[in-house]
Amino acid sequence: MGLLSEYINKGLSILELEKELRTLIKRYNEIRKSWLFVYASANGVNGNFIPDSMVNMDDYYIIHDMLKDCNSKSLDFYIETPGGSGEAAEEIVRCLRRKFENVSFVVSGEAKSAGTIIVLSGDEILMTRSGSLGPIDAQVSIGRTRISAYDYMEWVDEKRKIAEKTGRLNPFDATMIAQISPGELNGVMHSLKFAEDLVKEWLPKYKFKNWNVTESRKIKVTQKMKEERAIEIAADLMNHRKWRSHGRSIKIEDLENIGLIITKVDDDLELANIVYKIQTVLRMIFSSSSIYKVYATEKAKISKQAAPIKSSPAVSP
């Protein structure tokens, strides 16, 4: 029997599931001798996308508040998110790095886009077989929607090349291009560069800080070598022509192939059981309620819940 079926058969209420989550966090801490913080978002509630499920500045303030009384020198941070603001990702990482000497990220679900950027700031990345990161770039607001900055710039460049080659655009593309201001275009370009710069800064500073000798040739690793490797990895993760989709799942094997060392959670059966249970309980909470975001430690939990929009009462003539 799978874990999901096991929890469904238990028929736990939301309050019982939340209690179970804190119990699992406590057991995780006992196994890892660490302090686990869970940050998880649902992609939607009852099939509806909720903008606040994305990484945003309110997450930073809540995380900062929940961590302020923690006395541990090390933090394990379970993260599950569809992505969001690069600026908020930067603030969250700064908060974690000011507070803790060592930060490890645990990925068993999806940590996409801004979530991937956050994970790449870790001293250690722990992943289960089900876990995945995604291509890195910023998600920017265009009109009423948020889209991939990379995809946006690729579309603009494609139309520019067509115009240079043929001297014209079809009426639809011409109308769309006419609505783009130089300021908006520069903003998207800077957002894309911002995400890349964060990864190039954080990898040498944190992930590679204890990388002193190359694995095969046993050559001493210099700071320049760390920076060059970071540039290569950032370029690889930003190569949407390789990954084909902003939502593409990048697994352990993919990350190892581009030069990242990943701690495989499944190699530790006891730890893997706890991490998979945490992921399953979170799925149960999201699917059984209107809760769309959870922040939790062994001792505390905050959740965000979607509220239905009430229609205005009809006015009789």
Side-chain angles (χ1 to χ4, degrees):
M1 180 186 297
L3 290 175
L4 185 59
S5 296
E6 178 184 327
Y7 276 108
I8 290 174
N9 290 339
K10 288 180 179 179
L12 300 179
S13 67
I14 294 300
L15 289 177
E16 289 170 328
L17 286 168
E18 292 175 342
K19 182 180 179 181
E20 172 72 359
L21 177 60
R22 291 196 299 274
T23 299
L24 290 168
I25 294 172
K26 181 178 180 181
R27 290 175 61 188
Y28 178 100
N29 290 342
E30 290 169 352
I31 294 170
R32 279 273 294 178
K33 308 299 182 199
S34 64
W35 200 83
L36 180 67
F37 187 97
V38 170
Y39 166 71
S41 301
N43 287 329
V45 176
N46 298 325
N48 297 316
F49 174 73
I50 298 176
D52 191 43
S53 66
M54 309 292 279
V55 175
N56 58 62
M57 286 302 296
D58 196 43
D59 294 333
Y60 158 68
Y61 293 118
I62 292 173
I63 291 168
H64 180 275
D65 182 69
M66 292 182 72
L67 290 175
K68 66 181 181 181
D69 295 326
C70 177
N71 296 319
S72 174
K73 292 183 179 180
S74 298
L75 175 75
D76 282 16
F77 193 100
Y78 179 101
I79 180 170
E80 195 165 343
T81 176
S85 164
E87 291 81 1
E90 181 183 31
E91 288 300 318
I92 290 170
V93 170
R94 283 179 174 175
C95 170
L96 301 182
R97 284 298 168 180
R98 282 193 298 264
K99 180 75 177 177
F100 302 98
E101 293 180 9
N102 294 284
V103 179
S104 299
F105 288 94
V106 185
V107 183
S108 190
E110 297 181 355
K112 299 297 181 66
S113 190
T116 297
I117 295 171
I118 292 172
V119 169
L120 293 175
S121 73
D123 298 282
E124 183 181 14
I125 302 173
L126 298 89
M127 291 181 67
T128 64
R129 292 192 186 99
S130 63
S132 63
L133 303 184
I136 59 169
D137 69 2
Q139 290 177 317
V140 294
S141 295
I142 302 294
R144 291 175 293 176
T145 62
R146 288 186 68 82
I147 63 171
S148 157
Y150 185 97
D151 290 345
Y152 183 86
M153 289 305 303
E154 187 176 48
W155 182 83
V156 170
D157 286 342
E158 178 187 350
K159 301 309 172 186
R160 176 181 56 79
K161 290 175 183 177
I162 291 174
E164 289 175 349
K165 183 177 180 180
T166 66
R168 62 186 299 275
L169 291 171
N170 66 57
F172 176 79
D173 288 341
T175 300
M176 295 297 292
I177 291 292
Q179 297 179 50
I180 301 173
S181 69
E184 180 181 78
L185 195 60
N186 282 333
V188 175
M189 291 175 63
H190 287 310
S191 295
L192 191 59
K193 184 65 176 173
F194 177 73
E196 180 183 11
D197 287 346
L198 289 179
V199 174
K200 291 193 295 187
E201 175 190 349
W202 290 341
L203 280 175
K205 191 174 182 180
Y206 303 121
K207 188 73 174 73
F208 299 158
K209 72 179 181 182
N210 295 319
W211 181 34
N212 300 314
V213 180
T214 61
E215 186 175 354
S216 57
R217 299 170 61 190
K218 306 302 179 184
I219 297 173
K220 182 180 179 181
V221 176
T222 64
Q223 182 62 26
K224 183 179 179 181
M225 290 169 66
K226 294 178 181 181
E227 292 170 356
E228 289 175 347
R229 175 65 63 85
I231 291 171
E232 292 171 359
I233 291 173
D236 230 323
L237 289 173
M238 293 190 71
N239 184 357
H240 284 225
R241 293 186 182 278
K242 175 178 180 178
W243 307 113
R244 298 294 184 185
S245 167
H246 179 69
R248 178 75 176 272
S249 291
I250 301 177
K251 297 293 193 177
I252 292 174
E253 295 77 11
D254 301 313
L255 296 168
E256 290 178 331
N257 287 338
I258 64 173
L260 282 170
I261 295 176
I262 306 297
T263 300
K264 300 179 178 67
V265 174
D266 290 85
D267 289 346
D268 184 331
L269 296 181
E270 185 179 14
L271 182 64
N273 183 52
I274 297 300
V275 173
Y276 280 123
K277 282 187 175 181
I278 289 173
Q279 181 191 8
T280 302
V281 168
L282 288 167
R283 289 174 62 197
M284 291 286 293
I285 290 172
F286 293 141
S287 63
S288 304
S289 71
S290 56
I291 293 172
Y292 63 87
K293 189 173 282 187
V294 170
Y295 316 79
T297 67
E298 178 182 329
K299 298 180 179 180
K301 182 200 68 66
I302 293 175
S303 60
K304 289 189 174 184
Q305 189 166 343
I309 299 175
K310 296 181 180 180
S311 58
S312 301
V315 178
S316 301

